[in-house]
Amino acid sequence: GAGVSQSPRYKVAKRGQDVALRCDPISGHVSLFWYQQALGQGPEFLTYFQNEAQLDKSGLPSDRFFAERPEGSVSTLKIQRTQQEDSAVYLCASSLGTGRARPQHFGDGTRLSIL
Amino acid sequence: AQRVTQPEKLLSVFKGAPVELKCNYSYSGSPELFWYVQYSRQRLQLLLRHISRESIKGFTADLNKGETSFHLKKPFAQEEDSAMYYCALINAGGTSYGKLTFGQGTILTVHP
């Protein structure tokens, strides 16, 4: 079956532009996570959704970052007024539920480059 | 705060040699530990988890709570094991929803 799908795979934007990154989780997966992976680093948590509810956004680095999942399936991560430090790979992961019994399945990520 | 440390950024071994990728963690609750792997041009995928006590592709990892470690081991490395390996933990207690905390990763290269 299809895994987690992210688009675009690559995005280049000029500093100050807004960008939107899309995540299509595995069908039926309740939990959805966004992670940011800077070059040479491990992924870092950004935000978490359970269905359409955003239950944790403690990892979002600034109020320029906004995420939504209005119908409990597809999610969009939006970054406004992009800065060079936003350059990273943005990973989306989904799982059937929460906690230890539910492994997370990752997408290929979106590589964002801010010029 | 929870933290995962992988002290080796790079690790090189020859085919057939034993390999050990180190992982240490700090967490005050009840953690669950994982190893994730990313092969070249592929997505991040789960390799193994400590609660399963399983061996995947010849790899094993034992949780040592006394040393707060979860090192990944394989007795005889293969060239196809060359990849980036991440150690990660989840808060497995209470009302946790499963947010992962990752280490910085170790690039394993197995030479022929």
Side-chain angles (χ1 to χ4, degrees), chain B residues 41-53:
Chain B
R41 299 189 183 88
Q42 293 187 29
R43 60 185 60 185
L44 198 59
Q45 57 187 283
L46 179 64
L47 180 62
L48 56 79
R49 50 201 304 183
H50 90 266
I51 60 167
S52 300
R53 295 185 170 274

Side-chain angles (χ1 to χ4, degrees), chain B residues 6 46 61-62 68 92 99:
Chain B
Q6 294 179 249
L46 179 64
D62 291 318
T68 60
K99 174 177 78 173

Side-chain angles (χ1 to χ4, degrees), chain B residues 2-6 23-26 87-89 101-104:
Chain B
Q2 55 200 52
R3 186 177 214 163
V4 177
T5 303
Q6 294 179 249
C23 172
N24 289 90
Y25 67 91
S26 61
C87 183
L89 73 78
T101 298
F102 286 89
Q104 289 192 319

